[in-house]
Amino acid sequence: MKKFLHVVSNHLLMMKYFLKFAPAYFIMNFLFCIYVSFIDMLTGAYSIKYIFNGLSEGKTFKDILIFLVFVSLAMIVRHMLGALCAEYLSATGWIKLKAGMKKLIFEKARRMDLVYYETPKFYTDFVWASSQADEKISEMYYSWCVFAARLADIIFLGGFMLVTDGFLMLFAFTAIIIRLVFNSLIVKRRYKMHVEAKPHERERDYISRVFYLADYAKEIRLSDIHKTLFKRLKDTMSRIWKINDEAGRKITVYWVISELSTGGFLDFLIYLYLCFKTIVKKTLKFGDLAALISAVWKFAYRAGEFINVLTDMGEQSLYVDNFREFLAYEPKIECQTGLDAPNKPTLISMKNVSFKYEGSDSCSLRNINLDIKPYEKIAIVGYNGAGKSTLVKLLMRLYDVSEGEITMDGTNIKDFATDSYRACFGSVFQDYKVFAGTIAENVEMNFVSEDRYADIEQALVNSGFTNKLKSLEKGIMTPLTREFSKDGINLSGGEEQKIAIARIFAKQCACVILDEPSSALDPISEYNLNQTMMTLSEHKTVIFISHRLSTTCMADRIIMLENGEIIEDGSHDELMMKHGKYAEMFLKQSEKYRV
């Protein structure tokens, strides 16, 4: 009973979403399915009985004509409702449903903490929800419609059989029980097959994605990596085939036993019984015999479909468990409510901060103590893997610290509303992205109103995008990428980076964080950008990461990290005087520019 209630609960959850997003189609099509079952019984078994028995009992032509007119009118209504549901409500209903489900899932994903994206299980649940939720909900709705129609068939046909010869119901329920048992075995084996295949299907889909995404096109053509990918694809498909082959053998055995028991042996007994009642006992009229043969055949077929749909609903419920798990993820950082953060530069302090990534055995940052004063310009340097990007992600509260605390103006940043706290920062990371939208949308990172046009254009000028912008006929309304617009443009890496940098110039914020802001720029563009950045950020706190130590000379303070710890702290001149790790790194880089 508990399992049954769980299945019902899962189905009601998904039908609630269907009813919410496409109510007209949900209700009309559901009622139409029941009406079709009534028409099927009316034009089948009942019509056969009425006409055959009517002829033998001496009914007039007028009586039969009136009955046929009634049946014809009912059929006309059926076809009119069918056209309404299939051609109009279906076309609009599915679109509304898919749009609603995508919005629900993506809004949930947007609210998830960044740490979830490093968890394989979250990815599995998210991928399932985003790729299959709308497909599964449509399957479940179809099952509900079939369930309602087949239940109506069983009631209409069963009632007719019960009135005509109730003993036939014993055969019918025997067939239902046999199908129910074997279908339950089939569902469990099929679900196990899908669970075992899912990790391999994810790997198969990844390889497929690599071959059609433009990001990988050059590397594939300029190397032999395709050989490795082909080998992995072959191995993956082989494992999927083996899983399906093993499951398919067992499912086939279950299905054959079920069909032989019901479609063979029981059908023989039913027809033998009806012939005995008509020929030997003479208790059935020929009209009753013809009608019952039709009713019994349809009842057996419909009962089989009813059991199949119950089986499908149980199987579909297992997938809804994945969807529930995705919905059950709750953010600990994103969309958190709390205090309003200060809207001006203020003291930011990291006190005994340590951080360990999910699943990692060692800390990426250890015992960090750092005060960042208002309006201070700080450079964070160090070799790859030193913990630089992790430190700024903690400052922006993309992650929470594992130990210690970060405060702003003396208040733990966890006490601030997440959106309010993040609004204090303008940032550009080294793995920035541009989107298939206009230049203005990519700078504003939001809907763009006309009163913002001038600010967006000025931000692009400040980032060094002026010459390119002047060459564009549509200016800031030019679409980026040609994926959805033939008028779109593809920019170079440096040009894309300038658009990303323009975002911080367009945003009103107290603190600017730059993670390798000029990695794709030429030295002259980098110099001009740094000069502009320092001038326009005079009244802001600036924290930047750079591997080009020529940039760090402009900073008030330089923080050097190594193995997740601060090993040096001071101005450029002070650190050069120490002859430590920073000086060593700076001198190695400067040798490249000496004549």
Side-chain angles (χ1 to χ4, degrees):
M1 178 58 71
K2 185 177 181 181
K3 181 180 178 181
F4 171 75
L5 293 176
H6 181 68
V7 171
V8 172
S9 174
N10 279 348
H11 273 264
L12 289 177
L13 171 68
M14 302 307 281
M15 291 306 101
K16 179 187 74 174
Y17 289 124
F18 201 123
L19 186 59
K20 176 182 179 181
F21 297 130
Y25 180 59
F26 181 93
I27 296 171
M28 285 297 297
N29 197 59
F30 195 76
L31 294 176
F32 172 69
C33 290
I34 298 174
Y35 182 69
V36 168
S37 295
F38 167 74
I39 293 296
D40 192 45
M41 187 276 297
L42 178 65
T43 58
Y46 189 77
S47 291
I48 291 172
K49 178 177 179 177
Y50 184 88
I51 294 172
F52 274 59
N53 286 350
L55 291 174
S56 62
E57 293 170 358
K59 285 186 182 294
T60 65
F61 178 76
K62 180 180 178 181
D63 292 334
I64 295 177
L65 177 63
I66 291 172
F67 174 76
L68 292 176
V69 169
F70 172 76
V71 172
S72 297
L73 290 174
M75 285 292 294
I76 291 172
V77 173
R78 177 200 183 284
H79 291 305
M80 291 176 63
L81 290 176
L84 174 65
C85 291
E87 301 302 330
Y88 175 66
L89 294 178
S90 174
T92 56
W94 289 121
I95 293 174
K96 290 179 180 178
L97 173 65
K98 289 187 176 183
M101 290 302 293
K102 291 294 186 187
K103 182 179 179 182
L104 171 74
I105 292 165
F106 293 155
E107 182 62 27
K108 178 70 177 181
R110 185 192 69 82
R111 296 176 62 249
M112 289 297 97
D113 296 340
L114 199 60
V115 67
Y116 284 125
Y117 285 84
E118 296 162 3
T119 307
K121 188 178 186 310
F122 171 78
Y123 254 121
T124 299
D125 293 337
F126 179 36
V127 168
W128 183 93
S130 61
S131 64
Q132 296 191 41
D134 52 353
E135 176 186 335
K136 287 298 179 183
I137 196 174
S138 64
E139 289 180 11
M140 295 175 80
Y141 176 67
Y142 173 76
S143 294
W144 270 62
C145 291
V146 174
F147 172 82
R150 297 299 82 86
L151 181 61
D153 286 332
I154 289 173
I155 293 173
F156 294 144
L157 293 170
F160 176 81
M161 291 165 59
L162 194 62
V163 170
T164 308
D165 191 325
F167 190 74
L168 284 172
M169 297 304 294
L170 178 63
F171 294 106
F173 282 114
T174 302
I176 289 174
I177 292 171
I178 293 173
R179 283 186 178 272
L180 192 59
V181 170
F182 282 98
N183 281 21
S184 177
L185 294 173
I186 290 172
V187 166
K188 290 179 181 178
R189 192 63 192 86
R190 189 179 293 152
Y191 178 71
K192 182 182 178 183
M193 175 186 71
H194 289 316
V195 170
E196 291 174 350
K198 179 58 68 177
H200 307 301
E201 289 173 353
R202 281 183 56 204
E203 185 174 4
R204 175 201 63 194
D205 295 342
Y206 166 76
I207 297 170
S208 300
R209 195 164 64 247
V210 165
F211 275 98
Y212 71 71
L213 287 178
D215 298 352
Y216 300 92
K218 291 191 295 295
E219 281 78 3
I220 288 175
R221 282 153 181 78
L222 296 175
S223 70
D224 289 330
I225 188 63
H226 65 278
K227 296 179 181 178
T228 302
L229 293 172
F230 285 153
K231 177 66 167 55
R232 287 180 62 183
L233 180 62
K234 180 181 178 181
D235 293 342
T236 299
M237 295 303 294
S238 177
R239 288 191 289 268
I240 294 173
W241 178 87
K242 184 177 180 180
I243 292 169
N244 281 264
D245 178 67
E246 181 182 346
R249 293 172 185 270
K250 292 185 178 181
I251 290 172
T252 300
V253 172
Y254 295 148
W255 185 86
V256 169
I257 295 175
S258 175
E259 289 299 312
L260 288 177
S261 300
T262 56
F265 182 66
L266 279 175
D267 282 357
F268 170 76
L269 291 179
I270 289 170
Y271 291 130
L272 182 64
Y273 170 77
L274 288 175
C275 290
F276 176 78
K277 293 277 287 187
T278 305
I279 299 171
V280 179
K281 289 290 187 180
K282 300 185 183 300
T283 54
L284 286 179
K285 299 176 183 179
F286 281 104
D288 294 334
L289 174 63
L292 282 174
I293 289 176
S294 174
V296 167
W297 185 85
K298 282 188 177 180
F299 185 89
Y301 183 74
R302 299 305 192 197
E305 288 187 330
F306 182 74
I307 297 303
N308 288 339
V309 78
L310 287 179
T311 303
D312 291 342
M313 293 173 80
E315 184 176 358
Q316 290 157 358
S317 174
L318 297 173
Y319 291 97
V320 178
D321 290 338
N322 295 82
F323 184 69
R324 281 187 181 274
E325 288 186 22
F326 172 71
L327 294 180
Y329 285 100
E330 288 298 332
K332 298 177 182 178
I333 299 176
E334 300 301 321
C335 304
Q336 178 179 306
T337 58
L339 304 172
D340 289 332
N343 57 4
K344 62 181 181 179
T346 187
L347 177 66
I348 302 174
S349 298
M350 304 184 77
K351 302 175 182 178
N352 301 317
V353 167
S354 295
F355 178 75
K356 181 188 294 184
Y357 283 101
E358 187 79 19
S360 176
D361 295 329
S362 59
C363 289
S364 298
L365 292 174
R366 299 180 189 82
N367 198 35
I368 300 295
N369 287 280
L370 175 64
D371 288 334
I372 303 171
K373 300 173 184 176
Y375 311 108
E376 196 170 22
K377 310 299 184 278
I378 289 184
I380 301 174
V381 301
Y383 292 104
N384 289 335
K388 305 183 296 298
S389 295
T390 300
L391 189 146
V392 297
K393 287 175 183 177
L394 291 177
L395 284 175
M396 295 189 68
R397 210 187 168 205
L398 291 172
Y399 298 97
D400 273 336
V401 300
S402 302
E403 296 178 17
E405 66 173 357
I406 302 175
T407 62
M408 175 179 277
D409 201 21
T411 301
N412 193 310
I413 63 173
K414 294 180 181 180
D415 296 331
F416 295 116
T418 308
D419 291 343
S420 175
Y421 179 73
R422 297 254 181 86
C424 299
F425 298 91
S427 62
V428 180
F429 288 99
Q430 57 186 350
D431 54 351
Y432 64 89
K433 299 295 181 184
V434 295
F435 299 87
T438 64
I439 291 176
E441 290 169 337
N442 271 276
V443 173
E444 189 77 345
M445 296 296 279
N446 202 339
F447 295 109
V448 181
S449 56
E450 289 189 19
D451 61 335
R452 290 286 296 157
Y453 286 1
D455 291 333
I456 291 171
E457 289 179 353
Q458 186 58 51
L460 288 165
V461 170
N462 293 338
S463 71
F465 197 71
T466 309
N467 293 334
K468 184 65 178 181
L469 186 63
K470 288 179 179 179
S471 69
L472 301 176
E473 183 179 344
K474 295 184 178 180
I476 62 173
M477 303 311 293
T478 302
L480 292 184
T481 80
R482 294 194 179 95
E483 189 165 355
F484 305 112
S485 174
K486 63 180 181 181
D487 298 325
I489 60 170
N490 292 318
L491 300 177
S492 66
E495 290 167 339
E496 286 185 349
Q497 196 160 46
K498 289 175 182 178
I499 286 181
I501 292 169
R503 294 167 184 167
I504 60 173
F505 290 124
K507 183 177 182 179
Q508 298 298 319
C509 57
C511 182
V512 173
I513 292 182
L514 304 163
D515 186 351
E516 293 292 340
S518 54
S519 60
L521 303 182
D522 59 80
I524 295 177
S525 296
E526 179 189 32
Y527 176 80
N528 292 333
L529 173 65
N530 290 334
Q531 293 292 332
T532 304
M533 184 72 66
M534 292 303 175
T535 300
L536 296 179
S537 301
E538 182 180 357
H539 301 294
K540 298 180 180 181
T541 302
V542 178
I543 303 168
F544 62 92
I545 298 172
S546 179
H547 282 96
R548 295 180 182 176
L549 299 189
S550 57
T551 304
T552 64
C553 298
M554 300 180 180
D556 300 325
R557 284 170 63 203
I558 298 167
I559 309 297
M560 183 155 187
L561 292 176
E562 186 174 76
N563 297 324
E565 297 179 301
I566 296 176
I567 59 170
E568 294 182 18
D569 181 352
S571 67
H572 172 74
D573 292 337
E574 289 170 347
L575 295 185
M576 291 300 293
M577 291 288 291
K578 288 183 178 181
H579 302 290
K581 289 291 183 70
Y582 173 79
E584 178 185 348
M585 181 185 289
F586 185 86
L587 291 173
K588 283 183 178 178
Q589 285 196 14
S590 64
E591 287 177 358
K592 299 177 182 178
Y593 300 97
R594 292 177 182 174
V595 178

